[in-house]
Amino acid sequence: KLESNNVQNEIYLTDLIGLFNKHNYSVAAISPKQQYVLMGFNNKSVLKEMDAIARKIAYEKLKDIILIDDPDDFFIDDNVIEDILRMDKLGEPLDIKIGKGVYIGKGAKLNYNLHVMKNVYISGNINFGRNVTIRENAHLSCFTNQILNIGNNVKIFWGDVIKGNVTIGDNCSIESGVRITGSDEFPVRINNNVTIKGVTYIFGSIIEENTFIEHS
C-alpha cells in the first residue's frame, strides 16, 4: 500500500502510521537479538562498521572449517558460505585456504584442497575441481549467463586474468602473465595436461591435450 508520490520518488516507512490508523491496526514493540539489525547507514563510517560486522559473522561461521589468513580482510558471498557449510557436513576435510584480501562472489562453487592466495578476485559461475591453486592477484570472472570450469590439479599463477566462457581441463598450469577470454559465441576449451606461460593471450580457442604454449 505504500506509495512514492513525492519529489524524490521515495517510499517512507513513516507512511505506515497513517495506514495503520486507517485500518485500526495495533502496534507492538520487540527487542532484536542483535542490535546491529537496527543500524542505519546514511554515511560511510557506519557503512564501514556494518561491513566489519558482516565479515565477522562470516568468519565465525567458517573459522573452524576453512583457513582464512586475515579475518579482517576477505569477502565470501553468503551463498558460497552456505555451500561450504553443506560440504563440511559430508565429513571429508575441506582443506580450503583463503588468503588476505580475497574476494569470492556469488556463483562460485569451491572444492576440496582449494588454495586461493592474496588479493585473488573470483566472481560469477565458476566451478572448481579438486586440488586447485590460484596465486596472488589473479582475476577470474564471468557474466551471469556464462560458466568458467576449472578441472582437477590446476595451477593458476600470479596476476592471470581469466574471463567468460572458459573450460580448463585437469592437470593444467596457467603460468604468470596469461590472459584468457571466452565469449558466448567463441568459448575457450583447454584440454588436459596443458601448460601456458609467458605473456600469452588466448581468445575463443580450442587447445588440445599435452600442449605447451609460451609467449603467444
Side-chain angles (χ1 to χ4, degrees), residues 58-72:
Y59 181 73
E60 288 298 319
K61 291 180 180 179
L62 298 173
K63 66 180 181 180
D64 296 323
I65 300 174
I66 66 176
L67 179 62
I68 298 174
D69 283 349
D70 189 343
D72 297 321

Side-chain angles (χ1 to χ4, degrees), residues 107-111 124-129 132 147-151 168:
K109 300 292 183 183
L110 309 189
N111 212 329
N125 301 315
I126 302 174
N127 302 318
F128 291 91
V132 173
I147 298 177
L148 199 167
N149 290 310
I150 299 172
I168 300 174

Side-chain angles (χ1 to χ4, degrees), residues 7-18:
V7 176
Q8 293 84 7
N9 196 34
E10 295 177 342
I11 291 175
Y12 299 112
L13 291 178
T14 48
D15 289 348
L16 286 171
I17 298 171

Side-chain angles (χ1 to χ4, degrees), residues 181-183 186-189 202-206:
T181 304
S183 66
F186 298 105
V188 170
R189 180 174 179 83
I202 294 171
F203 171 76
S205 303
I206 298 174

Side-chain angles (χ1 to χ4, degrees), residues 97 99-100 102 115-120 133-136:
K97 301 177 182 179
K100 176 182 174 66
V102 166
H115 190 184
V116 184
M117 296 187 182
K118 185 178 179 181
N119 295 329
V120 169
T133 298
I134 306 173
R135 297 193 180 275
E136 295 87 345

Side-chain angles (χ1 to χ4, degrees), residues 130-141:
R130 290 177 175 242
N131 311 315
V132 173
T133 298
I134 306 173
R135 297 193 180 275
E136 295 87 345
N137 300 307
H139 177 111
L140 285 69
S141 65

